[in-house]
Amino acid sequence: MSEQGLWTYLQGLVPRGQYTRIESSDTGPGFPDVHFQLATGHSGTIELKDSHTPRRIPPFKNYDDGLHVSQLAWIKENVSMGGTVWIVARVGRAVHWIPGRKASKFNGCESLSEIATLTIDGTIGNVDIQIIRKMLSGDYNDE
């Protein structure tokens, strides 16, 4: 699955809202792949990552195949200003939802489920969908 395939998969799971997929370095260095705005007034971004070598440990070894330096800087600054950023990473069948505040732990992490708020490995249940919708709405605290 590519990042586009991952986004297609996620579209049926996210709450209703406006989602804009952005694939352009012209937008701004490090800007995530998807911007969203919900009817509740909550907005945020989603960075999509799909491991091309899902059996490798760690699946996202460095800046080349994981989060780039510009992405890490953008996420850090946005989160420090109260922004909502999610990193959604697919490794094999598992899809990990990682809060932006943990972005610095992403590259080189051997087990993304340890830093993820939610990991879906296989079948998606109604509880998973409810958690995703709460996370994007800003109503989910994993502290």
Side-chain angles (χ1 to χ4, degrees), residues 119-130:
T119 296
I120 301 170
D121 195 359
T123 306
I124 300 164
N126 287 335
V127 171
D128 298 323
I129 293 171
Q130 290 173 359

Side-chain angles (χ1 to χ4, degrees), residues 1 4 7 13 16 18-20 31 34 36 38 46 52-53 55 57 78 80 84 101 125 132 134 140:
M1 186 183 296
Q4 177 58 48
W7 176 238
L13 306 178
R16 291 185 69 156
Q18 178 190 40
Y19 294 85
T20 305
F31 194 85
V34 179
F36 66 89
L38 304 179
I46 302 169
H52 301 292
T53 53
R55 293 186 189 150
I57 297 177
N78 188 266
S80 75
T84 299
R101 65 184 167 71
I132 291 167
K134 284 183 178 183
Y140 192 84

Side-chain angles (χ1 to χ4, degrees), residues 7-140:
W7 176 238
T8 299
Y9 165 81
L10 294 176
Q11 285 179 309
L13 306 178
V14 296
R16 291 185 69 156
Q18 178 190 40
Y19 294 85
T20 305
R21 181 130 155 74
I22 303 162
E23 277 296 329
S24 170
S25 58
D26 295 336
T27 305
F31 194 85
D33 298 313
V34 179
H35 176 269
F36 66 89
Q37 179 70 47
L38 304 179
T40 61
H42 198 77
S43 65
T45 58
I46 302 169
E47 176 59 38
L48 303 170
K49 289 293 177 187
D50 183 42
S51 176
H52 301 292
T53 53
R55 293 186 189 150
R56 182 178 71 194
I57 297 177
F60 301 97
K61 213 159 97 166
N62 52 38
Y63 298 130
D64 292 331
D65 59 354
L67 293 170
H68 304 288
V69 173
S70 61
Q71 291 173 319
L72 287 165
W74 191 96
I75 292 169
K76 180 180 178 182
E77 183 176 1
N78 188 266
V79 169
S80 75
M81 298 292 168
T84 299
V85 181
W86 288 96
I87 303 156
V88 180
R90 181 180 176 270
V91 180
R93 290 176 36 140
V95 177
H96 306 277
W97 289 76
I98 300 159
R101 65 184 167 71
K102 294 184 179 179
S104 64
K105 298 177 182 180
F106 185 81
N107 292 347
C109 184
E110 293 187 10
S111 176
L112 292 177
S113 60
E114 291 179 10
I115 62 171
T117 297
L118 175 67
T119 296
I120 301 170
D121 195 359
T123 306
I124 300 164
N126 287 335
V127 171
D128 298 323
I129 293 171
Q130 290 173 359
I131 291 171
I132 291 167
R133 292 178 179 180
K134 284 183 178 183
M135 290 186 314
L136 294 183
S137 298
D139 295 334
Y140 192 84

